[in-house]
Amino acid sequence: MQMRALSVGFSLALAFAFMGLPSSGAENDIPRTANGKPDLSGTYDIGSLTPLQRDEKYGESVYTTAAETRKLEEAAIAAQAEDDASRATNRVAPPSIKDEEFKSIGAYNRFWFDRGTTTFAVDGKYRTSILTDPADGRLPPVSELGKELRAGAPLFSYKNTGLAWWMETGEAPYDGPETQTLGTRCLFAGGPSVPMRPSAYNNVKTITQTDTHVSILVEWMHWNRIVRLNSEHLPPEIRSFGGDSIGWWEGDTLVVETTNFRLPPPAPWAQELLAAQDSASQEMRVVERFTPIDGDTLHYEFTVDDPGYTAPYTGSLPFPRTDAKLFEYACHEGNYSMGNMMRGARQLEEEWRAERTSSQQP
């Protein structure tokens, strides 16, 4: 499998990242297995208010002040209180699906989210973003290929105009559950999976380690990553949404490389993107590094080489151990939404037909 060459700037960023690795405690603080390798087994809570991308006001400043960090945390608390208050009133249903209020109802309230309540610090310094490369702490520009793939493979839902627009175009987004997106069907969510990043919820991860394998229970979409140590990747034609992960030790750092991705399939009306998607899937590559800092914390770093962007990008964050329990991501059990989406689509189609019939009458 051919991989894009990493830029000189990217290599320099890696060197910077290693220079900035948090100071390790005494070696005896790191739990080890019988073969002397660090024992990463345990449960970690990576919930954090530190954003993936840096606020543009910080420019290339990697760190911010404790006062600025406190403002961010207080703003998050205030936003939750405001959201709770806005939903506490006795609201009635909008009169029509075409009503503007209907389109802005949004998701369930923030009580159900678990983003964490604090930002993270590295050696006592508060980071402005999880991303460390590019230098501005923001994702690289989306490539032309990335724009095509995003337009043809929506993650969670299709556009909602309050009208049966597909009756005009001949597309079939709501013919059945199988034509829905991966997110809507609760099959896979790439954001919290490879690489792992703080998300809206399910930020608790469980690692189980043996001499030959490492299991990382991500849970979001019931996914358990299995990393084969000192192994080879599967043949390139064997691919999955989460890719194929192999790992090896570099000193006390576990390095995990994931390839053999299968990108989410394009929408039913965008099948012409299959060839481009297949090519992009083969080029994707993610490298993660797990380094124990002490008995309670891992330093986690990831580098993503994705042809959907114009350059690779790198980020890092701490993985603190926790006594919290990892709960099931019960996404589709008792899910009334899928049936309601199908019923809603049929209703819109009936309205569309009625309007056409009415307009054709003399």
Side-chain angles (χ1 to χ4, degrees), residues 297-354:
T297 313
L298 303 180
H299 177 78
Y300 173 70
E301 181 181 84
F302 59 85
T303 298
V304 179
D305 191 9
D306 178 355
Y309 293 92
T310 56
Y313 57 90
T314 296
S316 66
L317 64 148
F319 269 42
R321 289 185 186 268
T322 180
D323 293 327
K325 302 298 182 183
L326 187 154
F327 289 95
E328 174 194 14
Y329 186 81
C331 185
H332 241 321
E333 290 73 5
N335 186 356
Y336 297 97
S337 298
M338 185 65 74
N340 287 338
M341 289 170 64
M342 300 298 108
R343 283 185 283 272
R346 303 295 81 81
Q347 176 66 32
L348 292 180
E349 290 167 358
E350 286 298 320
E351 293 178 5
W352 183 89
R353 293 188 186 96

Side-chain angles (χ1 to χ4, degrees), residues 51-54 62 127-134 136-140 197 302 313-316:
L52 174 67
Q53 299 191 75
R54 186 177 305 150
V62 180
R127 287 261 296 277
T128 51
S129 62
I130 291 173
L131 291 182
T132 56
D133 181 69
D136 63 359
R138 301 187 65 79
L139 288 168
R197 295 167 290 189
F302 59 85
Y313 57 90
T314 296
S316 66

Side-chain angles (χ1 to χ4, degrees), residues 73-333:
E73 295 170 352
E74 290 174 348
I77 295 172
Q80 175 159 334
E82 181 180 355
D83 184 70
D84 290 343
S86 69
R87 296 169 187 268
T89 57
N90 294 322
R91 298 187 301 170
V92 297
S96 167
I97 193 173
K98 301 178 182 64
D99 191 275
E100 286 301 316
E101 185 182 348
F102 180 88
K103 299 176 186 177
S104 62
I105 287 177
Y108 34 69
N109 63 31
R110 298 194 185 205
F111 171 84
W112 302 103
F113 293 125
D114 186 21
R115 301 179 185 276
T117 57
T118 61
T119 57
F120 67 75
V122 177
D123 273 349
K125 298 178 182 178
Y126 294 97
R127 287 261 296 277
T128 51
S129 62
I130 291 173
L131 291 182
T132 56
D133 181 69
D136 63 359
R138 301 187 65 79
L139 288 168
V142 175
S143 66
E144 290 303 315
L145 174 61
K147 293 175 183 177
E148 286 185 57
L149 296 178
R150 282 165 172 75
L155 176 60
F156 279 112
S157 62
Y158 305 127
K159 58 186 177 183
N160 175 18
T161 64
L163 300 170
W165 51 265
W166 55 92
M167 300 293 282
E168 301 279 1
T169 63
E171 299 162 357
Y174 296 104
D175 269 14
E178 292 78 11
T179 61
Q180 293 302 289
T181 65
L182 289 182
T184 300
R185 296 169 67 192
C186 295
L187 294 179
F188 183 75
S193 302
V194 186
M196 292 174 285
R197 295 167 290 189
S199 300
Y201 31 49
N202 277 89
N203 285 309
V204 176
K205 316 296 178 187
T206 298
I207 298 178
T208 305
Q209 176 183 337
T210 72
D211 291 345
T212 57
H213 294 80
V214 173
S215 159
I216 306 173
L217 183 55
V218 174
E219 181 50 29
W220 195 330
M221 305 306 187
H222 314 295
W223 192 41
N224 189 23
R225 295 178 59 189
I226 304 297
V227 181
R228 303 185 308 280
L229 299 182
N230 304 315
S231 182
E232 300 290 333
H233 281 297
L234 296 173
E237 65 272 15
I238 301 178
R239 283 179 254 152
S240 66
F241 296 136
D244 178 59
S245 297
I246 62 173
W248 61 89
W249 289 96
E250 293 182 1
D252 280 350
T253 296
L254 174 67
V255 182
V256 177
E257 179 186 69
T258 305
T259 60
N260 296 50
F261 287 98
R262 179 191 175 196
L263 292 178
W269 58 87
Q271 295 302 298
E272 71 277 4
L273 291 175
L274 278 172
Q277 189 184 71
D278 183 71
S279 175
S281 294
Q282 294 186 51
E283 291 185 42
M284 282 191 66
R285 176 175 177 259
V286 177
V287 176
E288 302 161 283
R289 305 179 70 91
F290 300 79
T291 305
I293 302 306
D294 51 39
D296 297 320
T297 313
L298 303 180
H299 177 78
Y300 173 70
E301 181 181 84
F302 59 85
T303 298
V304 179
D305 191 9
D306 178 355
Y309 293 92
T310 56
Y313 57 90
T314 296
S316 66
L317 64 148
F319 269 42
R321 289 185 186 268
T322 180
D323 293 327
K325 302 298 182 183
L326 187 154
F327 289 95
E328 174 194 14
Y329 186 81
C331 185
H332 241 321
E333 290 73 5

